[in-house]
């Protein structure tokens, strides 16, 4: 009789674990959907998305498992995403700098991450190691809209849009030349240039190291 009771309790525990795992999986899928829609990025904080996800049924289910479960799942999600992109961004920057010397990639309404990926593959063809890395990311991009190539493409496009807006504000033409009569001597930014806080231009840094 005791063995039968123990078996019954074990089955109940197992069923509860499976149900809770299914609920967590559903919540993670919801995070993926929001990320695909651009509402979550690797830099998003929990307080910036909590109100939106709190209206979702999957949130209520994981919240019932523990007060901090949803927040911890979100933080793990963006942390893993950020770390993957941080690693992948190193070869991506190298290949991007190589590609700019060979051909120009135009960031406009018709440009896409898929075309961008093809340019990176072509530019890295002469370097087996880099080509292998870009090929790996390119294959992931076909299945995962949150791939590092997509993030890098979004980053460059945002930089390009920012530079274009600044050039217009400072009186530059689209080719980087100043309009007549403009007194602002600021030089235009390169399209797709990546300069982060505390960093120097990638190309300049490589020259210094050489």
């Amino acid at each position: 009789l005791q063995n039968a009771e123990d078996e019954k309790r074990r089955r109940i525990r197992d069923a509860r674990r499976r149900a809770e795992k299914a609920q967590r999986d559903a919540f993670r899928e919801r995070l993926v959907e929001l990320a695909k829609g651009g509402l979550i990025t690797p830099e998003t904080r929990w307080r910036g998305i909590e109100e939106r996800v709190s209206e979702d049924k999957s949130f209520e289910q994981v919240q019932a498992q523990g007060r901090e479960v949803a927040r911890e799942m979100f933080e793990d999600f963006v942390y893993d995403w950020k770390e993957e992109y941080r690693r992948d961004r190193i070869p991506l920057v190298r290949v991007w700098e190589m590609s700019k010397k060979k051909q120009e990639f135009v960031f406009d309404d018709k440009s896409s991450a898929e075309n961008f990926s093809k340019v990176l593959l072509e530019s890295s063809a002469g370097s087996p190691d880099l080509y292998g890395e870009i090929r790996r990311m390119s294959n992931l991009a076909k299945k995962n809209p949150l791939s590092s190539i997509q993030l890098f493409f979004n980053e460059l496009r945002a930089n390009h849009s920012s530079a274009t807006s600044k050039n217009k504000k400072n009186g530059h033409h689209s080719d980087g030349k100043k309009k007549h009569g403009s007194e602002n001597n600021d030089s235009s930014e390169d399209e797709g240039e990546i300069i982060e806080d505390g960093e120097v231009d990638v190309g300049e840094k490589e020259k210094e190291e050489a």
Side-chain angles (χ1 to χ4, degrees), residues 88-96 120 134 137 148-149 152:
D88 288 345
R89 191 178 181 279
I90 295 172
L92 283 169
V93 169
R94 290 181 61 189
V95 176
W96 171 241
L120 295 181
I134 300 301
M137 288 183 249
S148 294
I149 286 182
F152 192 58

Side-chain angles (χ1 to χ4, degrees), residues 34-95:
L34 292 172
K36 288 179 180 178
L39 297 175
I40 295 179
T41 71
E43 306 302 324
T44 302
R45 301 292 183 87
W46 173 244
R47 63 176 177 269
I49 200 69
E50 181 179 8
E51 183 176 353
R52 178 177 288 272
V53 299
S54 64
E55 302 172 355
D56 197 86
K57 180 180 178 181
S58 62
F59 171 82
E60 297 175 359
Q61 291 175 333
V62 295
Q63 191 79 343
Q65 297 182 29
R67 184 178 180 84
E68 299 299 319
V69 173
R71 180 183 63 79
E72 290 172 355
M73 286 187 63
F74 167 81
E75 291 178 349
D76 287 344
F77 176 79
V78 295
Y79 176 81
D80 292 342
W81 193 12
K82 182 187 295 185
E83 284 300 295
E84 180 181 9
Y85 182 51
R86 181 184 63 80
R87 292 189 298 268
D88 288 345
R89 191 178 181 279
I90 295 172
L92 283 169
V93 169
R94 290 181 61 189
V95 176

Side-chain angles (χ1 to χ4, degrees), residues 1 17 22 52 117 120 129 146 152 154 160 163 169 180 187:
L1 182 61
R17 290 194 187 101
R52 178 177 288 272
S117 178
L120 295 181
D129 291 341
L146 311 182
F152 192 58
N154 293 346
H160 169 70
K169 183 178 180 181
H180 294 296
S187 61

Side-chain angles (χ1 to χ4, degrees), residues 7-193:
E7 179 65 16
K8 181 179 178 180
R9 284 194 291 269
R10 184 186 66 78
R11 290 180 178 178
I12 292 174
R13 286 196 303 269
D14 289 347
R16 184 172 60 248
R17 290 194 187 101
R18 287 193 297 270
E20 290 178 346
K21 182 180 183 302
Q23 292 167 354
R24 292 193 297 273
D25 289 344
F27 181 65
R28 191 181 188 285
E29 283 301 311
R30 179 56 178 156
L31 296 179
V32 172
E33 290 175 4
L34 292 172
K36 288 179 180 178
L39 297 175
I40 295 179
T41 71
E43 306 302 324
T44 302
R45 301 292 183 87
W46 173 244
R47 63 176 177 269
I49 200 69
E50 181 179 8
E51 183 176 353
R52 178 177 288 272
V53 299
S54 64
E55 302 172 355
D56 197 86
K57 180 180 178 181
S58 62
F59 171 82
E60 297 175 359
Q61 291 175 333
V62 295
Q63 191 79 343
Q65 297 182 29
R67 184 178 180 84
E68 299 299 319
V69 173
R71 180 183 63 79
E72 290 172 355
M73 286 187 63
F74 167 81
E75 291 178 349
D76 287 344
F77 176 79
V78 295
Y79 176 81
D80 292 342
W81 193 12
K82 182 187 295 185
E83 284 300 295
E84 180 181 9
Y85 182 51
R86 181 184 63 80
R87 292 189 298 268
D88 288 345
R89 191 178 181 279
I90 295 172
L92 283 169
V93 169
R94 290 181 61 189
V95 176
W96 171 241
E97 290 300 315
M98 291 164 56
S99 73
K100 290 196 294 186
K101 298 175 182 178
K102 297 179 180 180
Q103 58 183 304
E104 180 180 1
F105 185 85
V106 179
F107 289 92
D108 56 24
D109 294 338
K110 297 181 180 179
S111 59
S112 66
E114 182 178 359
N115 292 334
F116 181 66
S117 178
K118 292 178 180 178
V119 169
L120 295 181
L121 281 170
E122 293 172 1
S123 299
S124 62
S127 175
D129 291 341
L130 287 176
Y131 182 83
E133 284 293 298
I134 300 301
R135 170 61 67 184
R136 173 184 63 81
M137 288 183 249
S138 180
N139 289 336
L140 288 174
K142 295 176 182 178
K143 303 177 182 178
N144 182 14
L146 311 182
S147 70
S148 294
I149 286 182
Q150 179 69 59
L151 288 176
F152 192 58
F153 172 76
N154 293 346
E155 179 183 345
L156 291 175
R157 184 168 57 181
N159 288 352
H160 169 70
S161 297
S162 176
T164 300
S165 297
K166 184 176 180 180
N167 287 343
K168 289 180 179 179
K169 183 178 180 181
N170 291 341
H172 287 276
H173 289 289
S174 59
D175 60 1
K177 297 180 180 179
K178 290 176 64 63
K179 294 179 181 178
H180 294 296
S182 174
E183 297 179 357
N184 192 325
N185 292 322
D186 293 339
S187 61
S188 62
E189 299 180 34
D190 292 336
E191 292 185 1
E193 183 179 17

